[in-house]
Amino acid sequence: MPPRVPAFVAVLLAAVPTAAAASVRVESPAPDGLVLGTSVVLSVRACAGGRLREHVRLDGTEVPVTWAPGPYRRQWYGRFRLPHEGAHHLEIRASCRQRERAVTVAFESRRRGALEPGLAVARAYMRAHPAETLRWDWGPAVFLYGLGPLAEAGPAPFAEAARAYLAAYHERWARRGPPAINRSDRVAPALTAVSLARDGEHAGALANALAGVDYVKTEPRNRLGTLDHLGHSGLRIFYPGSIWVDSLMMYAVLAARWGHHTRDPALLEFAAMQPLRFASVLQDPADGLFRHAWRVEAGRPIPTDATYWLRGNGWALVAIAAILDELDPDDPHRPELLRVFLRLAEGLRAWQQPDGLWDSLVNLPGLTYPETSGTALVAYALARAVHRGWIDSRYLDVARRAFARLETRGGELSLPLISGPTNPGPRWSYRGIRPRRDLPYGVGPFLLAAFELADEEFP
């Protein structure tokens, strides 16, 4: 385990390279970025052999900064406190190849305001991706799942527009009929269909929900009592008889939501047992983190070494939280589910980087890149668990620091550093997954985190 990083309280919502000099780059905060809180964590890349001065200038005044090396080549972290909310001008100097470079960044700080960037990102995504164009698949489904809380309890008129967007998606697929639901990723769109079906006004959503529920009820169980991730699809030839941590989000949460809605004890029991059975083979007993996948017949994990994929661990946290929400307070599985959740939360807390993010490979910082979709999943799940009284309030600070970065591109807020679709494999294969921006399964978790942290004051 690495040494625990200081409990920095800044939450950085933006990071974009400066054009001041190719050899000196400020990663956070960003030009026109937003800092929530009264402290700033700086992430700076200086040239090879560069030396950062022991101070920066904020709003024309020198402030002391203690620099520490980060996990990436030429990366440095520093921090300082902000004297007030509002607009700020930051200047950082670095010596590079015997030349002194100055990098300047303008940004804004405030104590509250997590919801506003979430609404802006959601609006931008809905404008760029009309509901009628979204596929029936896990990626769009995760965006819709993130939109769900804002549609139910967000500010008007945004909530009305979000509900109309969700309804348009499910009406379209009810008319067309969803593609064959033959694997976990094809189940996920039914998650938001359940929410619409609950109000009794969307017959199309009910049909879509039942299509997903039918798969959960009828798909053969493996020897663990779980569903193979690739189900009975042709893709299973590549990973025969395997469970992936992603499935907890894709099918187990649906079982819990529909089981609660219909008061189906068998479905609720099935849902409650899924995280426990996944944890029995995927959760490392030493550090609490989950491996990506497990070959059921072979009895071995993928990857076989201690390599932990961030987004998969985020799926596990969010899925357990969602299932707990649907179980009765006296359900006998709650204590063990909470133990699994807490062990995972503690394992993740140990690897959080000073700027609040985790790397795509959690326990190997510097090998891949900081990753925002998994970070947002963790932020949401930890904040929700604290708000529900399930875990200690110290995890709220972890969640606030983890509230993911945004950039400004073309006048719109944009979420960078989302790892692309990721299959389980050896450690080197994760390094080949390039980060992208504004993928639906990154935007959706960001919306969840923005909603859950909406009422928080950032110290």
Side-chain angles (χ1 to χ4, degrees), residues 259-298:
H260 178 87
H261 174 56
T262 60
R263 303 312 300 171
D264 183 333
L267 206 53
L268 280 171
E269 169 73 12
F270 174 78
M273 287 302 299
Q274 295 309 291
L276 303 181
R277 288 173 172 163
F278 274 65
S280 71
V281 293
L282 293 180
Q283 189 172 32
D284 191 291
D287 55 26
L289 299 174
F290 276 65
R291 284 184 171 83
H292 194 157
W294 180 266
R295 289 193 183 272
V296 178
E297 297 302 322

Side-chain angles (χ1 to χ4, degrees), residues 108-458:
E108 180 187 355
S109 71
R110 56 177 186 253
R111 299 289 298 273
R112 293 182 180 272
L115 184 59
E116 288 82 357
L119 297 176
V121 169
R123 290 190 189 100
Y125 193 89
M126 289 190 290
R127 281 195 300 269
H129 305 276
E132 294 79 4
T133 68
L134 297 185
R135 296 176 297 113
W136 181 280
D137 206 356
W138 71 278
V142 172
F143 169 71
L144 296 172
Y145 186 82
L147 188 64
L150 294 171
E152 294 179 6
F158 178 88
E160 183 178 350
R163 286 193 295 271
Y165 188 91
L166 287 165
Y169 175 84
H170 283 290
E171 287 169 5
R172 179 215 180 193
W173 281 109
R175 289 193 305 268
R176 293 186 56 178
I181 299 179
N182 55 14
R183 59 185 186 272
S184 294
D185 288 348
R186 289 276 180 84
V187 179
L191 283 168
T192 48
V194 172
S195 300
L196 293 175
R198 282 172 174 169
D199 63 22
E201 297 180 2
H202 298 276
L206 176 60
N208 292 342
L210 290 173
V213 171
D214 181 68
Y215 176 86
V216 174
K217 287 185 172 181
T218 62
E219 184 68 12
R221 277 57 172 155
N222 55 40
R223 65 170 57 181
L224 291 174
T226 64
L227 305 186
D228 288 354
H229 183 73
L230 297 174
H232 57 275
S233 71
L235 296 173
R236 70 188 309 273
I237 65 172
F238 298 106
Y239 294 89
S242 63
I243 64 169
W244 302 14
V245 70
D246 319 36
S247 283
L248 286 176
M249 189 70 205
M250 307 309 165
Y251 79 74
V253 174
L254 175 64
R257 300 187 88 180
W258 191 254
H260 178 87
H261 174 56
T262 60
R263 303 312 300 171
D264 183 333
L267 206 53
L268 280 171
E269 169 73 12
F270 174 78
M273 287 302 299
Q274 295 309 291
L276 303 181
R277 288 173 172 163
F278 274 65
S280 71
V281 293
L282 293 180
Q283 189 172 32
D284 191 291
D287 55 26
L289 299 174
F290 276 65
R291 284 184 171 83
H292 194 157
W294 180 266
R295 289 193 183 272
V296 178
E297 297 302 322
R300 60 180 174 84
I302 314 172
T304 55
D305 59 4
T307 296
Y308 307 110
W309 176 48
L310 172 61
R311 192 161 61 230
N313 282 270
W315 293 136
L317 273 187
V318 172
I320 295 171
I323 291 168
L324 286 168
D325 273 342
E326 305 296 344
L327 298 180
D328 291 337
D330 60 351
D331 188 284
H333 299 301
R334 292 186 73 90
E336 185 59 26
L337 285 168
L338 285 169
R339 280 193 287 272
V340 172
F341 185 98
L342 186 57
R343 287 176 58 216
L344 176 52
E346 182 63 16
L348 286 165
R349 188 172 74 94
W351 290 101
Q352 189 177 30
Q353 296 303 302
D355 60 357
L357 277 68
W358 286 268
D359 272 32
S360 186
L361 291 180
V362 175
N363 62 323
L364 299 167
L367 189 65
T368 51
Y369 46 84
E371 207 281 330
T372 56
S373 69
T375 291
L377 289 168
V378 175
Y380 163 72
L382 293 183
R384 192 167 188 82
V386 172
H387 293 157
R388 294 289 193 273
W390 299 337
I391 60 175
D392 191 275
S393 60
R394 62 181 172 159
Y395 287 97
L396 188 58
D397 181 61
V398 178
R400 286 187 294 225
R401 292 194 294 117
F403 192 41
R405 295 178 183 176
L406 295 175
E407 295 178 354
T408 301
R409 292 177 66 89
E412 299 275 18
L413 290 177
S414 174
L415 187 67
L417 296 173
I418 304 168
S419 63
T422 307
N423 293 328
R427 180 178 296 178
W428 59 262
S429 67
Y430 295 85
R431 298 187 68 183
I433 305 297
R434 297 184 60 184
R436 297 159 64 184
R437 66 177 60 254
D438 297 329
L439 296 175
Y441 48 86
V443 174
F446 180 77
L447 302 185
L448 290 173
F451 178 81
E452 194 64 35
L453 293 166
D455 296 329
E456 290 296 328
E457 182 171 276
F458 288 74

